[in-house]
Amino acid sequence: MNTKHLLDEYIDVYMTSLKYLDSFISEPAMAFKLSFEQYLIMHTIKESQNVTLVDIADSRKVTRSAISRQIKVLLGLEYIYQERDSNDRRRQYLRLTPRGDEIERVISKKAEQRFQSWVDYFGEGKAEEILHFIRQFVDVANLNNPADS
């Protein structure tokens, strides 16, 4: 298969499959007016002690303003709140509200169920193989495009 044909096949897979995969993963969050990224921020808050906006931006390798926009939405929906550090008033920790905690739990459960259905269908070995390939792909992409990483 020549490179152009292979590229065309990759584009076709992206347009027909990977976009579906994104919506399949995002769907549980949409029921609560959340993007998948916003849900992931909520999940990080739940799983972390004393996490800040800067911590999330740094761990995701995105700008603080990108995370700030997502956090504004979560604050507006009253799914999270900010709590000042008693020792350093400039630092604000992100916390889930009781409603935010419940929503995070519901979305996490649905996401786990959906993912389990994939693992049941493809098998754990294939799921690990796909994950390994994706990680290799990202590593190579980062080597070839160091400004993007």
Side-chain angles (χ1 to χ4, degrees):
M1 188 178 292
N2 69 34
T3 304
K4 180 174 178 349
H5 183 69
L6 190 58
L7 175 60
D8 290 344
E9 290 290 318
Y10 269 80
I11 291 169
D12 182 58
V13 166
Y14 172 75
M15 296 304 291
T16 59
S17 304
L18 295 178
K19 284 174 36 176
Y20 166 75
L21 179 64
D22 179 51
S23 66
F24 185 77
I25 291 170
S26 300
E27 194 173 287
M30 289 188 287
F32 298 98
K33 301 179 183 172
L34 295 172
S35 68
F36 191 65
E37 291 81 11
Q38 291 161 342
Y39 155 70
L40 289 176
I41 290 170
M42 291 175 64
H43 186 71
T44 299
I45 293 168
K46 184 169 187 158
E47 298 294 313
S48 305
Q49 288 276 31
N50 297 331
V51 69
T52 66
L53 179 154
V54 173
D55 296 331
I56 294 172
D58 290 348
S59 70
R60 301 248 166 88
K61 298 181 173 108
V62 298
T63 64
R64 292 173 186 176
S65 62
I67 296 298
S68 180
R69 285 190 297 274
Q70 303 296 336
I71 286 175
K72 275 187 180 180
V73 172
L74 295 171
L75 288 166
L77 292 169
E78 298 182 356
Y79 293 166
I80 68 169
Y81 66 97
Q82 295 174 309
E83 178 179 272
R84 291 204 183 275
D85 182 335
S86 59
N87 296 322
D88 181 353
R89 303 292 293 165
R90 296 169 297 172
R91 180 175 304 200
Q92 293 189 68
Y93 297 119
L94 301 169
R95 307 275 190 238
L96 293 176
T97 63
R99 176 82 175 131
D101 188 61
E102 174 65 16
I103 288 168
E104 189 283 336
R105 188 188 63 72
V106 168
I107 295 171
S108 288
K109 184 176 181 180
K110 286 182 180 182
E112 287 173 27
Q113 290 170 339
R114 285 179 155 218
F115 186 73
Q116 186 61 52
S117 72
W118 292 352
V119 173
D120 292 345
Y121 182 81
F122 291 108
E124 195 170 312
K126 188 59 133 180
E128 288 175 0
E129 188 180 311
I130 292 167
L131 181 60
H132 178 74
F133 171 76
I134 292 169
R135 284 188 173 143
Q136 279 184 307
F137 187 87
V138 169
D139 288 345
V140 170
N142 285 335
L143 287 175
N144 291 327
N145 300 304
D148 294 344
S149 59

